[in-house]
Amino acid sequence: MPEQHHVSLVDSERPAASHAIRVRDADPTSPVEVTVSLSGPEPPGPDSVPGQGLGREEFDAAYGASREDADKAVAVLRRYGLEVDDEDVSLGTRSIRARGTVEAMENAFHANLGVYHGAGGREFRGREGELKIPAELDGVLTGVFGLDQRRVARRRGAPAAAHALAPLTPSVLEAHYNFPEGEAQGQRIGIAEFGGGYFPDDLVAFCQKHNLPQAQVELVPVGLTPLTFQQIASLPQDEADVAFDETGEVMMDVQIVAGLCQQARLSVYFAPFDQRGWIDLLNQAILDRPVALSVSWGLSEDDPNWTPIALTEINHRLALAAARGITVCVASGDDGSGDQLNDGGAHVDFPSSSPFVLSVGGTMITTAHTPLVEETWWRPPGRRNGSGGGSTGGGVSTVFARPGWQQNIQVPSLNSGAIDGRVVPDVAALAGPPLYDLTLLGEDRPNGGTSASAPLWASLIARVNALLPAAKRQRFLTPLLYDIDGNGRARGEGACADISVGQNASHPFPGVGYEAQPGFDAVTGWGLPDGVALLNSL
């Protein structure tokens, strides 16, 4: 064992997990797998993302880690007893996977790993305080992920409730949002999942119900294999209930995309819901390069369960995805202006608040008009409470500065003294009533939330991309929506239908929210998609 001369890993501090108690030290012989991040060229900033997505060789050359740094890191990690194979090194995504025992990880990173008893009786491996790394890797290694397994990815759909209007079918959605012709032939769409299972029979039933061809779906385990119906049914009842709920969310994502992009290739990525899961899933998507990646999961950017280095490294990968021309469509959250935090402040969800994603908010339809008329999604108390409440997430980031392409957006933060941060969402789509017409366990199961708005926008992007000339395909969409077109207005203004009714205050905290208004606002962004107008504008 080499002499243990270590230095602190900047921004790796982690508090004790909320609502969890350390019950014992981790077993020194237990296996652990981590992903370590390497330094590299600075990723593109929000205002310098390439105009068209980079191919693999050009991307690796521009942003990849150096072979020298990777070789040095591998050699040092191996000296500490960690196992690293050649295929575990990815220069393009600046990452190395490494395996070893708890004891070896302690020697390498001084993590003081323990077993914690969390909410719902779940036990997980965790840590507190900062990490330390071998001094010779200072400036080479920028993050270590996977030591702590606490949850940092959450979602829950909008509960179905009696409503005068029928849930919207794929054909109604397609017409309502004026999707351009075609079925997204030749396009690849990614879908991010952090739990649950996959029920292929439900997709078959959904497609049959709506007279659609069967979708081309590939499951991509990234550290997590989706559960089958039989596996979920064999779990203890409380665990099975959670798994069935999560599976309903998975099947919602898949069915929305399958219903709108019948000829696309759907890659459904499954990763653990910890910080490492985010890193690994985005790494895989960067390499695969779908035209859009739908993400219906997140956690408040201010939640203490994030480490600062995780926000930085995940955001770096979102920047790299944008450089590849991937539009990552992220749900803005379903809990209004408070985003599940009860400290009295206004909050926004991450990664929705990243300037390298398309943040998607939510609307609802409450009365029968022809055509259908939408307003901001808000149901009392403006956050989910188990009985149908909820509201679109939206507001001003306290973490990410306002990008140049939003400098003309005049939306102040509700938080006194806060920065002029990134404003979310960018756009919106149906989230609340009357929900989406979906199938689960062979039965009709309407669902929604901004978790549904995100895959709808990913589907539209794929449909549009298939019809664009080659030189305009595979581009990060979000900054383009803020560009001024030939008519002197932002492209998003012409390509979206404005929503000027509603607000997103969650109660009791913070008790105030952001208001919809003519033009761009912090509850529905530019508004609802007009697919043909978007295609023409691009």
Side-chain angles (χ1 to χ4, degrees):
M1 175 63 58
E3 180 183 353
Q4 295 192 6
H5 177 39
H6 283 60
V7 296
S8 296
L9 178 60
V10 176
D11 286 340
S12 64
E13 298 86 357
R14 202 154 206 189
S18 56
H19 309 295
I21 299 174
R22 184 176 177 125
V23 293
R24 60 184 181 276
D25 292 342
D27 181 349
T29 65
S30 294
V32 179
E33 185 168 312
V34 297
T35 297
V36 301
S37 291
L38 301 173
S39 62
E42 189 68 21
D47 303 314
S48 58
V49 173
Q52 187 169 27
L54 302 180
R56 181 67 183 275
E57 290 186 5
E58 187 180 7
F59 170 79
D60 287 356
Y63 300 114
S66 71
R67 172 56 65 182
E68 180 182 6
D69 279 354
D71 288 346
K72 181 176 183 178
V74 168
V76 173
L77 294 174
R78 285 174 174 168
R79 289 208 306 271
Y80 278 88
L82 303 184
E83 178 184 344
V84 182
D85 298 327
D86 290 344
E87 59 268 24
D88 293 324
V89 179
S90 173
L91 297 182
T93 61
R94 299 133 69 120
S95 300
I96 297 174
R97 293 192 303 268
R99 294 164 295 283
T101 63
V102 165
E103 182 177 18
M105 295 292 173
E106 294 288 8
N107 289 332
F109 305 121
H110 295 190
N112 190 24
L113 296 174
V115 175
Y116 290 74
H117 188 84
R122 173 180 171 263
E123 286 195 346
F124 63 94
R125 186 180 64 244
R127 67 175 183 86
E128 301 169 39
E130 67 177 5
L131 296 176
K132 294 188 176 181
I133 59 173
E136 55 198 307
L137 294 184
D138 190 20
V140 173
L141 192 156
T142 60
V144 182
F145 305 100
L147 296 168
D148 190 314
Q149 298 173 307
R150 76 182 73 178
R151 183 168 197 149
V152 290
R154 295 175 183 154
R155 67 180 284 184
R156 191 173 75 196
H163 198 271
L165 299 176
L168 301 195
T169 66
S171 61
V172 171
L173 290 164
E174 189 175 47
H176 178 57
Y177 291 127
N178 198 24
F179 270 49
E181 64 181 9
E183 299 174 340
Q185 295 91 337
Q187 305 303 300
R188 183 175 189 169
I189 304 170
I191 300 174
E193 304 295 352
F194 293 93
Y198 180 75
F199 298 166
D201 290 347
D202 282 333
L203 181 58
V204 171
F206 171 83
C207 292
Q208 289 176 344
K209 176 182 179 180
H210 298 288
N211 298 313
L212 301 171
Q214 289 301 310
Q216 307 169 46
V217 178
E218 62 171 347
L219 305 184
V220 186
V222 189
L224 180 70
T225 301
L227 299 172
T228 65
F229 173 83
Q230 291 77 14
Q231 288 171 326
I232 294 177
S234 66
L235 294 172
Q237 190 60 53
D238 56 343
E239 295 180 33
D241 290 344
V242 172
F244 275 126
D245 285 346
E246 291 177 339
T247 303
E249 297 292 300
V250 172
M251 298 310 301
M252 175 173 71
D253 294 343
V254 173
Q255 289 173 25
I256 289 173
V257 178
L260 296 169
C261 297
Q262 295 95 335
Q263 296 301 318
R265 176 185 175 189
L266 279 60
S267 297
V268 189
Y269 302 98
F270 285 85
F273 50 48
D274 57 16
Q275 292 184 152
R276 183 186 178 219
W278 284 100
I279 297 288
D280 288 352
L281 189 149
L282 290 171
N283 282 349
Q284 188 62 54
I286 290 166
L287 298 177
D288 291 345
R289 201 190 185 198
V291 64
L293 174 66
S294 176
V295 182
S296 296
W297 302 73
L299 193 67
S300 173
E301 64 179 13
D302 303 309
D303 192 292
N305 285 305
W306 291 113
T307 58
I309 192 61
L311 290 177
T312 298
E313 290 293 333
I314 293 170
N315 196 53
H316 278 176
R317 282 157 179 80
L318 292 168
L320 297 177
R324 288 279 272 160
I326 304 167
T327 299
V328 182
C329 303
V330 186
S332 69
D334 295 354
D335 295 284
S337 57
D339 200 34
Q340 294 191 354
L341 293 185
N342 299 319
D343 59 4
H347 300 277
V348 292
D349 220 49
F350 179 78
S352 173
S353 61
S354 167
F356 300 104
V357 309
L358 181 74
S359 176
V360 186
T363 59
M364 64 182 182
I365 303 169
T366 58
T367 56
H369 289 287
T370 303
L372 298 172
V373 177
E374 297 183 54
E375 60 187 271
T376 302
W377 175 41
W378 189 90
R379 280 289 187 251
R383 60 183 294 169
R384 292 168 291 181
N385 62 357
S387 60
S391 175
T392 182
V396 180
S397 174
T398 63
V399 175
F400 300 101
R402 192 162 301 184
W405 36 265
Q406 277 195 334
Q407 288 306 307
N408 291 326
I409 300 301
Q410 304 300 317
V411 178
S413 174
L414 291 175
N415 298 309
S416 178
I419 65 170
D420 283 333
R422 155 84 156 120
V423 184
V424 295
D426 300 297
V427 292
L430 182 70
L435 307 178
Y436 292 70
D437 190 356
L438 304 167
T439 300
L440 185 66
L441 298 174
E443 300 179 352
D444 292 343
R445 188 70 64 87
N447 203 349
T450 58
S451 297
S453 312
L456 184 139
W457 264 93
S459 301
L460 176 59
I461 289 167
R463 288 274 288 264
V464 167
N465 195 70
L467 299 173
L468 289 171
K472 292 187 175 182
R473 292 179 182 172
Q474 200 80 44
R475 293 184 293 170
F476 175 44
L477 175 64
T478 308
L480 301 178
L481 295 176
Y482 295 83
D483 281 350
I484 303 302
D485 64 19
N487 297 316
R489 61 180 183 176
R491 183 182 277 115
E493 188 176 357
C496 296
D498 188 30
I499 299 294
S500 57
V501 176
Q503 48 82 38
N504 75 335
S506 52
H507 300 274
F509 301 108
V512 293
Y514 294 87
E515 299 281 342
Q517 58 187 18
F520 184 94
D521 55 59
V523 287
T524 60
W526 293 113
L528 305 171
D530 180 333
V532 171
L534 178 63
L535 172 64
N536 291 337
S537 74
L538 294 173

